Amino acid sequence: AISIARALAETGGRILLVEFDPYQPRMARMLGIENTPGLADVLARRADPGASIQRARVRGDLFVVTAGSATMPLTSLTARRMELLLKAYDVYFDYIVLALPPVALLPEEMALNRMLDGLVLTVRRASTRHSALADAMGCLDAMRVSVLGFVLT
């Protein structure tokens, strides 16, 4: 997600990268920025949405919302708040890139089809089994998410 967001930022657009992975939050460390306030803090209503946006130290207009410090259960309430938050952020950015947890960990009530225009699925070459990829595609199909393509790492 970071590489895609960086590439988009280098084209001249205003990009927001949102870490929506409560299981392995690592974006703050990878980008050398603060982890709080972040998405979990905003969804828990402990922080203002604008206060969670940080400018990344890269070329272009790349802004980041990290996972944050609060716990972020993936529930239908979280999904609804996330949907509203993305609509609010959408006014200010050309693209919003979400860093999501593995598809198998997302509950169906996340309603990703309402949050995303499309999804690029990252597949680890040496460790992703064909059956796991097929299961992920089945989950995404059940959630009616449009898969735009794949990144092989």
Side-chain angles (χ1 to χ4, degrees):
I2 292 173
S3 296
I4 290 171
R6 277 184 173 163
L8 286 169
E10 288 179 8
T11 67
R14 285 178 53 89
I15 311 304
L16 179 64
L17 174 60
V18 179
E19 184 175 32
F20 192 38
D21 186 350
Y23 304 108
Q24 293 185 351
R26 54 182 170 233
M27 201 166 290
R29 181 179 42 80
M30 293 174 76
L31 292 171
I33 58 177
E34 296 295 319
N35 190 43
T36 58
L39 181 63
D41 305 291
V42 172
L43 293 176
R45 296 192 170 128
R46 293 185 196 145
D48 179 67
S52 67
I53 299 172
Q54 301 178 64
R55 186 178 196 103
R57 296 180 201 120
V58 299
R59 226 173 55 199
D61 279 340
L62 176 59
F63 299 85
V64 181
V65 175
T66 62
S69 62
T71 55
M72 183 173 27
L74 298 179
T75 65
S76 56
L77 177 60
T78 304
R80 183 66 184 136
R81 286 182 183 161
M82 183 66 178
E83 189 178 343
L84 294 171
L85 183 63
L86 289 175
K87 285 180 182 176
Y89 286 153
D90 192 47
V91 174
Y92 303 102
F93 296 95
D94 298 308
Y95 293 97
I96 298 174
V97 177
L98 293 180
L100 296 168
V103 173
L105 300 178
L106 291 171
E108 283 191 42
E109 64 263 17
M110 287 310 299
L112 288 176
N113 62 321
R114 291 197 311 255
M115 292 185 222
L116 309 174
D117 292 327
L119 181 131
V120 176
L121 192 63
T122 302
V123 180
R124 290 188 180 146
R125 189 185 121 198
S127 62
T128 302
R129 293 185 318 258
H130 291 281
S131 60
L133 181 57
D135 289 347
M137 292 300 294
C139 289
L140 292 169
D141 188 49
M143 289 188 249
R144 295 177 298 181
V145 173
S146 176
V147 176
L148 302 175
F150 299 88
V151 173
L152 187 64
T153 62

